[in-house]
Amino acid sequence: LECCEGDGLALLNALVSAAGRGSASEKQLLTNYCKLIDAFGVATVVLERALRGEVEATTAASTLFRSNTATTKLVGTYTKTVGATYLRTTLAPIINDLIADNTSLEVDATKMGDGADDATIASNQAALVKWADRALNDIVSDVTRCPIAFRRVAACLQKYVVAKFDSAKYSSVGGLVFLRFFCPALFAPASTGEVLAAEATAVRSCKPAARTCVLVSKMLQNLANNMPFKEQYMKGWADDWVGANTEKFQNFVDLLVDVPESDD
């Protein structure tokens, strides 16, 4: 137990290395580690020290949580463990509705063949905006559905990030909640394992729906990053959507991190 709380997470690093980075054994090890620290009531202490060390070692806010370090893997595994039900209840409805609709909403002319006319692209853009609105609203509508343990991680991360990079108040939490939690699950439901297993199976045979999941996840990701789109086919209309929803995203983050101090 003392090793679990130690600065530098030396034990975790050693175990991850022994298991093989990126392996199934590593994933199981991280899951068991998270259950262990949660059961002993030291999750907050362990994660806080890990996050503090990660931020201190980061030289630019833009690179924070972009690499697969032991800390990012630990935090990612912990939030996915405590937030499994939250993830499913939030994303399963929209994924299932996309599968049921299964309409091609492609906006990249290079993927559309003979159907790449301006009117079709404009119509698809408008439809994607509606789906992105739906996804965002499903996420931000009720912050109390997010487990307190998850919210405390987000609050802790923001605290350390703001102390060093004050401009990253929102993007830091966005990176945790959107880039490493919601967006990967929407982009590829199979990545969630059993959490969205039924949706992952169904979407494999629904290519238009799968592509819409990818495009909507891109929109959510850039909203969280507050970055303009690099893809030519997303520029303009999707950037406008990000700008129109920035305040809603920031209000969600403010509510998410407004949690009482941990007792453990």
Side-chain angles (χ1 to χ4, degrees):
L1 183 59
E2 291 179 359
C3 291
C4 290
E5 295 186 79
D7 285 325
L9 299 177
L11 173 62
L12 179 61
N13 275 304
L15 292 174
V16 166
S17 296
R21 296 186 183 277
S23 66
S25 296
E26 180 197 59
K27 293 179 181 179
Q28 188 59 56
L29 186 153
L30 286 165
T31 299
N32 291 341
Y33 187 91
C34 287
K35 290 178 179 179
L36 176 68
I37 61 176
D38 205 38
F40 277 99
V42 296
T44 298
V45 174
V46 172
L47 293 167
E48 184 167 346
R49 288 178 176 174
L51 288 169
R52 183 178 63 216
E54 187 76 9
V55 173
E56 288 175 350
T58 302
T59 57
S62 61
T63 64
L64 188 65
F65 268 65
R66 296 301 190 273
S67 58
N68 287 320
T69 65
T71 293
T72 59
K73 289 180 180 180
L74 170 62
V75 173
T77 301
Y78 183 77
T79 53
K80 289 172 185 174
T81 300
V82 301
T85 299
Y86 175 49
L87 182 66
R88 172 158 188 80
T89 57
T90 302
L91 292 188
I94 187 173
I95 294 174
N96 284 317
D97 286 348
L98 283 167
I99 292 169
D101 183 68
N102 201 32
T103 300
S104 176
L105 300 178
E106 185 57 70
V107 289
D108 183 356
T110 66
K111 297 180 182 294
M112 296 175 69
D114 295 336
D117 60 272
D118 291 344
T120 299
I121 291 175
S123 176
N124 289 351
Q125 290 172 349
L128 278 174
V129 164
K130 291 181 179 179
W131 281 113
D133 283 341
R134 159 79 184 277
L136 180 60
N137 288 334
D138 285 353
I139 292 170
V140 307
S141 61
D142 185 4
V143 73
T144 62
R145 292 187 297 109
C146 182
I148 288 294
F150 190 129
R151 295 173 64 186
R152 282 179 174 152
V153 173
C156 178
L157 172 63
Q158 188 187 69
K159 177 180 70 175
Y160 287 124
V161 169
V162 170
K164 187 171 183 178
F165 308 107
D166 58 359
S167 64
K169 177 180 179 181
Y170 294 106
S171 62
S172 58
V173 178
L176 174 68
V177 180
F178 283 76
L179 274 64
R180 286 191 171 265
F181 187 70
F182 284 121
C183 289
L186 184 58
F187 188 96
S191 68
T192 67
E194 294 299 315
V195 179
L196 293 170
E199 289 71 23
T201 299
V203 83
R204 288 193 193 101
S205 60
C206 300
K207 290 185 178 181
R211 176 61 175 165
T212 300
C213 285
V214 170
L215 293 170
V216 171
S217 70
K218 284 179 178 287
M219 295 171 74
L220 294 174
Q221 179 174 316
N222 279 53
L223 174 64
N225 281 333
N226 192 29
M227 295 288 289
F229 284 89
K230 295 179 180 179
E231 301 92 336
Q232 189 63 40
Y233 60 87
M234 300 292 285
K235 288 184 177 180
W237 68 276
D239 288 318
D240 290 342
W241 180 83
V242 168
N245 286 283
T246 296
E247 184 176 357
K248 179 183 289 187
F249 162 71
Q250 292 179 346
N251 288 339
F252 166 72
V253 170
D254 287 337
L255 291 171
L256 188 78
V257 300
D258 185 17
V259 290
E261 292 293 327
S262 173
D263 296 325
D264 52 31

